[in-house]
């Protein structure tokens, strides 16, 4: 009898079943939410980039253990902004917190809290009964011991056993965080089969891979000015191969030239890097036709924002 079967047998003797929870991840931009998601799922579910505010959707990652299933929702970094795009992202985060069974609040211990962290902590404090706090990046020499005191002052009713330390990047303390969340999770049937680690469809995953590879190669201003549109996706041949046409969309003509690069060097590099990552994710071959086009001032257009970031 394997580990899962042993756990199952013990649960049956106690008259309980597997636990399942929808877990919303809260935190400032670049706190390590996407890194935690990918480490916990052991798969590249969410874009990881040193550039803040790269997660734009509530992206789901699924973790199956002997205790049951945790469905994590990686939400956009929560911060103050009056820009239309960022206001939409804040709404996404707030909606996911309301709907979640548990909330994981991740704090970057290498940064002083400040007003932005206080805003996140105040939001987390509204859900103390279903909250776990993870103090991330404890392996970094810049990590600050004062962060735990900050959490205790902002969320005084949170039990000490639900304030945990971890390094999402180095897979340190992740299991303890998962156990704390399972302690809060309700007994319920699994939402997904055990072989799934995300519910994203093929087109969305490809678009996020392309956007991630573009973000990590372009200057600081450009990542927030682009999105990926999958215009065509169709099977070709008899071996399950997919042909995909995707557009990297920017706001101005000057940005288009930067994404294409001299002699089309940048767009070629993004395409090849995307194909490499796509091959790691999908069990079938995908051919990618990647181009660049201008969608002028798209961040101010409600129809584009609604398509990219659908409301619940």
């Amino acid at each position: 009898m394997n580990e899962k079967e042993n756990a199952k047998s013990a649960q049956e003797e106690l008259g309980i079943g597997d636990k399942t929870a929808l877990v919303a991840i809260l935190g400032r931009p670049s706190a390590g939410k996407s890194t935690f998601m990918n480490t916990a799922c052991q798969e590249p579910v969410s874009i990881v980039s040193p550039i803040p505010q790269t997660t734009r959707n509530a992206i789901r990652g699924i973790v199956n253990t002997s205790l049951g299933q945790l469905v994590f929702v990686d939400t956009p970094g929560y911060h103050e902004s009056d820009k239309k795009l960022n206001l939409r992202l804040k709404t996404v985060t707030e909606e996911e917190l309301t709907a979640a069974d548990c909330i994981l609040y991740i704090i970057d211990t290498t940064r002083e809290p400040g007003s932005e962290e206080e805003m996140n902590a105040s939001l987390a404090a509204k859900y103390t009964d279903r909250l776990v706090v993870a103090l991330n990046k404890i392996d970094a020499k810049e990590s600050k011991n004062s962060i735990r005191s900050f959490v205790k002052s902002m969320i005084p009713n949170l039990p000490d056993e639900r304030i945990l330390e971890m390094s999402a990047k180095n897979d340190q303390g992740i299991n303890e965080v998962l156990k704390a969340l399972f302690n809060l999770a309700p007994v319920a049937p699994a939402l997904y089969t055990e072989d799934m680690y995300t519910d994203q469809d093929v087109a969305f995953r490809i678009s996020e891979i392309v956007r991630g590879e573009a973000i990590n190669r372009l200057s600081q201003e450009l990542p927030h000015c682009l999105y990926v549109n999958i215009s065509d996706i169709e099977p070709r041949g008899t071996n399950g191969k997919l042909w995909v046409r995707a557009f990297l969309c920017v706001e101005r003509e000057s940005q288009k030239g930067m994404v294409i690069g001299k002699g089309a060097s940048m767009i070629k590099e993004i395409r090849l890097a995307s194909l490499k990552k796509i091959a790691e994710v999908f069990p079938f071959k995908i051919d990618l036709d990647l181009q660049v086009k201008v969608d002028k001032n798209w961040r101010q257009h409600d129809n584009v924002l609604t398509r990219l970031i659908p409301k619940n």
Side-chain angles (χ1 to χ4, degrees), residues 79-292:
H79 73 302
E80 281 291 359
S81 174
D82 57 0
K83 294 181 179 179
K84 185 172 286 191
L85 172 61
N86 292 329
L87 290 173
R88 181 69 63 92
L89 297 178
K90 284 183 68 174
T91 299
V92 170
T93 298
E94 291 164 355
E95 288 175 346
E96 293 299 333
L97 293 179
T98 301
D101 299 301
C102 306
I103 294 164
L104 176 61
Y105 172 27
I106 296 179
I107 302 177
D108 179 356
T109 60
T110 67
R111 290 187 286 175
E112 293 292 347
S115 60
E116 194 172 75
E117 197 71 76
E118 289 176 0
M119 181 179 68
N120 278 266
S122 296
L123 183 60
K126 298 178 181 179
Y127 306 97
T128 305
D129 60 326
R130 45 193 168 113
L131 176 68
V132 171
V133 174
L135 309 181
N136 192 29
K137 306 183 185 181
I138 59 164
D139 56 307
K141 62 181 180 181
E142 301 90 354
S143 181
K144 298 172 175 58
N145 295 327
S146 59
I147 301 298
R148 184 178 289 270
S149 298
F150 166 78
V151 173
K152 293 298 294 181
S153 65
M154 293 295 299
I155 318 174
N157 296 327
L158 186 66
D160 288 340
E161 61 267 22
R162 284 199 259 139
I163 306 173
L164 302 165
E165 296 181 349
M166 73 174 186
S167 168
K169 180 180 178 181
N170 294 332
D171 197 359
Q172 179 182 349
I174 300 293
N175 285 340
E176 287 69 26
V177 172
L178 296 179
K179 289 175 184 175
L181 290 166
F182 272 119
N183 285 338
L184 297 174
V187 174
L191 298 173
Y192 300 95
T193 59
E194 289 189 8
D195 61 330
M196 291 185 67
Y197 61 87
T198 184
D199 65 350
Q200 301 167 25
D201 62 29
V202 172
F204 180 79
R205 296 212 71 192
I206 292 173
S207 69
E208 285 291 273
I209 288 170
V210 172
R211 189 167 68 91
E213 295 304 323
I215 281 172
N216 289 319
R217 285 169 172 79
L218 297 169
S219 63
Q220 290 289 324
E221 66 180 74
L222 268 177
H224 303 295
C225 303
L226 63 82
Y227 72 89
V228 177
N229 176 43
I230 304 294
S231 63
D232 296 287
I233 183 166
E234 61 184 54
R236 289 193 175 177
T238 58
N239 59 354
K241 180 179 178 179
L242 281 183
W243 176 80
V244 178
R245 174 180 286 134
F247 288 92
L248 270 167
C249 302
V250 294
E251 290 187 309
R252 299 190 301 275
E253 283 291 337
S254 60
Q255 296 167 345
K256 181 178 179 180
M258 295 168 67
V259 176
I260 293 173
K262 186 176 181 180
S265 58
M266 179 57 72
I267 191 65
K268 288 178 181 177
E269 183 178 339
I270 293 169
R271 177 180 176 274
L272 290 175
S274 298
L275 283 171
K276 183 178 179 181
K277 183 65 66 67
I278 285 168
E280 295 172 359
V281 170
F282 296 101
F284 45 85
K285 186 171 177 57
I286 293 177
D287 188 18
L288 177 64
D289 176 9
L290 184 59
Q291 301 178 38
V292 184

